[in-house]
Amino acid sequence: MNENIKDVIQRLDNTLNGEPWFGRSARSLFEEINPEWVFRHPGNKEHSIAELLWHMITWAQFTLDRLEKKPEPDMAAFESLDWRILDPKTHSWKKGLKEFDSVYKKIIRQLKTKEDISLKEKVDYRSYNFQFLLNGLIEHTIYHLGQIAYIHKLLN
């Protein structure tokens, strides 16, 4: 495996499971969250922890689909999943955590099959390359983990 791919995998794994410089990993943060609070909206208008989790899942799935070269569904269908209205019975915290873990593991597995040169390839249906997409996914995940940590503090 090439060094750039190994670096992306390491940064992604560190964000999810390690001891990242920015604070707690996703796993350590999620373990602290009280499942009874995940659908609460602080201030009655901000996103809930559950909404943020499912939003991250949506973009991770988008990334996985691009890595796997799956045909893109129409954008309206994709956008309907982004900031979707959650039904606690369908979108439980436990199910969300399982889905989050699963999609990110699949991304890492997919990356292990790639060569560095693939990072320069243009992403299907987009104007940017895979390096930009993967860096964006990592940054997006960190950004929303910060929001989740803040909301957790507000609710605690």
Side-chain angles (χ1 to χ4, degrees), residues 57 60-61 64 98-107:
I57 291 167
Q61 186 62 54
L64 178 61
K98 184 176 179 181
E99 184 69 24
F100 181 90
D101 191 49
S102 174
V103 72
Y104 280 91
K105 282 181 179 177
K106 288 176 185 175
I107 289 169

Side-chain angles (χ1 to χ4, degrees), residues 72-86:
E72 171 126 14
D74 86 44
M75 277 311 281
F78 176 76
E79 288 173 358
S80 71
L81 296 176
D82 196 23
W83 301 118
R84 66 190 99 180
I85 296 176
L86 300 180

